[in-house]
């Protein structure tokens, strides 16, 4: 019988006094991506903003953000599963002319015998970069399907922690 633990947002990160680089490196070396799949997607354009979206192009302001949630670690089988939610808004003036939110589930295996706090930290760091290309693609597909010629979302850059 598997033992699943829902991991909470613990107060542990790369700057914590007790952070051990070797333990984190061991998790990152052993973790194998098992699956990434989309579980939700909501795309909306305000009807009264369609003209602005079609004509204003460079005057539109993009903002996007992502966050992780619902992380669970199966300590018996060494499988980590969590979700990552991405959102983008395109503003025309003060109006949210376009919104897209998409949730992905990400699973990693081969994590037996690793401490939960390092496994969670790994998920928080890596799931962002694992799911973002899918979200960028989803934004491009949805906006193109709506007849919009919006620029692509920018690439993510790696922060050195």
């Amino acid at each position: 019988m598997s033992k699943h633990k829902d991991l909470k947002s613990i107060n542990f990160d790369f700057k914590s006094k007790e952070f051990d680089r070797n333990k984190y490196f061991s998790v990152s070396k052993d973790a194998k991506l098992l699956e990434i799949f989309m579980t939700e997607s909501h795309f909306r354009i305000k009807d009264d903003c369609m003209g602005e979206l079609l004509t204003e192009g460079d005057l539109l302001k993009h903002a996007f953000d992502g966050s992780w949630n619902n992380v669970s670690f199966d300590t018996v089988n060494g499988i980590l599963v969590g979700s990552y939610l991405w959102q983008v808004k395109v503003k025309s003036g003060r109006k949210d002319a376009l919104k897209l939110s998409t949730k992905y589930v990400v699973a990693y295996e081969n994590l037996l015998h690793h401490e939960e706090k390092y496994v969670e930290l790994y998920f928080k760091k890596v799931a962002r970069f694992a799911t973002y290309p899918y979200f960028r693609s989803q934004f491009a597909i949805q906006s193109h399907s709506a007849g919009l010629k919006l620029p692509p979302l920018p690439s993510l850059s790696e922060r050195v922690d």
Side-chain angles (χ1 to χ4, degrees):
M1 185 168 189
S2 296
K3 181 179 177 188
H4 290 274
K5 283 192 168 184
D6 289 337
L7 302 178
K8 306 285 187 231
S9 180
I10 53 177
N11 204 7
F12 178 75
D13 61 21
F14 295 99
K15 297 175 185 171
S16 297
K17 280 185 180 181
E18 67 270 17
F19 176 76
D20 182 330
R21 294 178 73 91
N22 291 327
K23 288 181 181 181
Y24 182 81
F25 176 73
S26 181
V27 170
S28 66
K29 184 175 68 85
D30 289 348
K32 302 283 185 257
L33 181 63
L34 182 62
E35 192 72 60
I36 297 177
F37 51 93
M38 181 173 50
T39 58
E40 290 180 37
S41 188
H42 303 282
F43 179 73
R44 182 178 65 93
I45 296 176
K46 284 189 174 174
D47 292 342
D48 61 337
C49 294
M50 193 62 176
E52 296 161 12
L53 286 168
L54 288 169
T55 59
E56 289 187 6
D58 294 337
L59 300 175
L60 301 169
K61 292 188 171 80
H62 294 70
F64 70 96
D65 192 25
S67 60
W68 65 275
N69 57 24
N70 301 328
V71 180
S72 177
F73 184 41
D74 178 341
T75 58
V76 172
N77 294 305
I79 296 175
L80 172 69
V81 178
S83 61
Y84 208 92
L85 176 66
W86 285 102
Q87 298 179 35
V88 65
K89 292 180 183 178
V90 177
K91 289 188 168 280
S92 176
R94 293 180 176 219
K95 294 180 186 177
D96 290 339
L98 179 152
K99 287 184 182 181
L100 172 66
S101 65
T102 306
K103 187 195 293 186
Y104 298 92
V105 169
V106 184
Y108 293 94
E109 63 182 347
N110 202 37
L111 292 168
L112 282 174
H113 313 296
H114 289 288
E115 290 180 47
E116 293 167 20
K117 62 185 177 182
Y118 288 95
V119 170
E120 179 184 352
L121 187 59
Y122 178 78
F123 181 86
K124 287 185 198 177
K125 176 84 171 177
V126 177
R128 176 175 179 81
F129 291 95
T131 56
Y132 186 68
Y134 295 93
F135 180 65
R136 259 183 108 201
S137 176
Q138 182 71 2
F139 176 76
I141 290 167
Q142 292 289 353
S143 59
H144 181 76
S145 294
L148 306 176
K149 294 183 180 174
L150 298 174
L153 294 176
S155 297
L156 287 181
S157 58
E158 175 83 27
R159 267 193 37 232
V160 179
D161 291 313

